[in-house]
Amino acid sequence: MDGEQEANQEEQRYVDQQQQQEILHQQQQNEEEPQKLFSFEADQKNQLNQDGQRQQLQTQQNVTQDAHRTQNAEKMGQLQQICCGRDHTLNLTRDGDVFSYGSGTFSAAGHGGSKEVLTPMILKPLRDKRVIKIACGESHSLILTDKSDVYAWGRGFEGQLGLAKSIEVASTPQYIKSFYGKPVQSIEAGAYYSLAITKEGLLYGWGEAKMG
């Protein structure tokens, strides 16, 4: 009876070892496999039919095979955070780099000017900084660096950039001077407003004040 128990225990140990090896092998495969980023966009088009009546067609494009929409994250590295506005997207890597793409309206993508950017491009003004958090409003964006500095760009008509009253659009990331000497630990953005929490625990808000 003891011999049979020992045999069963030995068999169980062998099975456990095989399972552990399989788990380790699967983990290695997952680490070696490059990340892929898939994005989707609602494409609304107004077309006139033969009777002259306007029809609105809304389609969602599955962009798995589209080189402009499917991005191999090998070029960006490991992704830490993804944030979307109305017509633009930010990708934050674990190395602290920010890649953006999307509409050029209000310079939402942050690459300067109003040119549309179809594939993720690194934000050059931030290359010498390590970004730890990103936030998107409808057409503006915020980033927080490891130095507790906040940068903003995009639409600012409602004051959501926090730069200056005279700046209604910032085409590239700009440092928010109001936080000089006030280290920030967290940021968030709504459609037309922005929020920040300092390391002292103070909450700051700026932008559109509708609904309080």
Side-chain angles (χ1 to χ4, degrees):
M1 186 67 177
D2 292 340
E4 183 177 352
Q5 287 180 344
E6 290 180 0
N8 290 337
Q9 291 175 355
E10 183 66 27
E11 181 179 357
Q12 185 61 44
R13 282 196 294 269
Y14 175 77
V15 172
D16 292 341
Q17 290 176 354
Q18 291 297 109
Q19 290 178 343
Q20 291 177 355
Q21 290 178 359
E22 181 64 26
I23 293 173
L24 290 174
H25 179 68
Q26 186 64 40
Q27 289 176 343
Q28 291 175 351
Q29 284 186 329
N30 292 337
E31 291 176 356
E32 293 174 357
E33 183 178 359
Q35 288 184 326
K36 292 184 179 180
L37 170 65
F38 298 90
S39 63
F40 302 86
E41 129 182 317
D43 182 17
Q44 293 187 344
K45 297 180 180 178
N46 287 326
Q47 297 180 342
L48 292 175
N49 62 16
Q50 293 180 352
D51 297 329
Q53 295 177 339
R54 186 174 296 273
Q55 293 181 334
Q56 185 179 55
L57 303 178
Q58 181 176 7
T59 60
Q60 187 174 31
Q61 298 174 327
N62 186 329
V63 291
T64 306
Q65 303 300 325
D66 190 338
H68 289 299
R69 296 293 189 265
T70 303
Q71 302 304 323
N72 191 324
E74 274 186 316
K75 296 180 181 179
M76 291 187 286
Q78 297 290 317
L79 293 177
Q80 177 172 310
Q81 185 185 356
I82 299 174
C83 189
C84 299
R86 178 178 180 180
D87 298 310
H88 72 289
T89 300
L90 302 183
N91 299 324
L92 174 62
T93 72
R94 292 182 181 176
D95 292 329
D97 293 321
V98 179
F99 291 75
S100 71
Y101 60 107
S103 171
T105 305
F106 303 118
S107 297
H111 295 287
S114 58
K115 184 178 180 181
E116 182 180 31
V117 180
L118 297 178
T119 59
M121 291 178 56
I122 193 168
L123 279 170
K124 293 181 180 180
L126 301 175
R127 292 203 69 168
D128 61 341
K129 300 169 180 60
R130 184 179 180 85
V131 178
I132 59 175
K133 185 173 176 56
I134 56 179
C136 290
E138 181 172 293
S139 298
H140 79 287
S141 299
L142 305 174
I143 65 97
L144 176 65
T145 72
D146 62 346
K147 303 296 185 183
S148 301
D149 293 329
V150 183
Y151 290 74
W153 70 92
R155 176 182 175 128
F157 290 96
E158 294 79 15
Q160 61 266 52
L161 297 181
L163 300 174
K165 293 182 178 179
S166 59
I167 299 179
E168 296 181 337
V169 174
S171 60
T172 58
Q174 305 291 322
Y175 172 62
I176 301 181
K177 297 179 182 179
S178 300
F179 288 111
Y180 180 77
K182 303 173 185 176
V184 174
Q185 66 177 355
S186 184
I187 55 172
E188 293 295 343
Y192 303 114
Y193 66 90
S194 303
L195 302 172
I197 300 177
T198 66
K199 290 187 176 182
E200 293 181 350
L202 299 177
L203 173 64
Y204 288 81
W206 59 101
E208 189 175 70
K210 289 183 177 179
M211 306 298 290

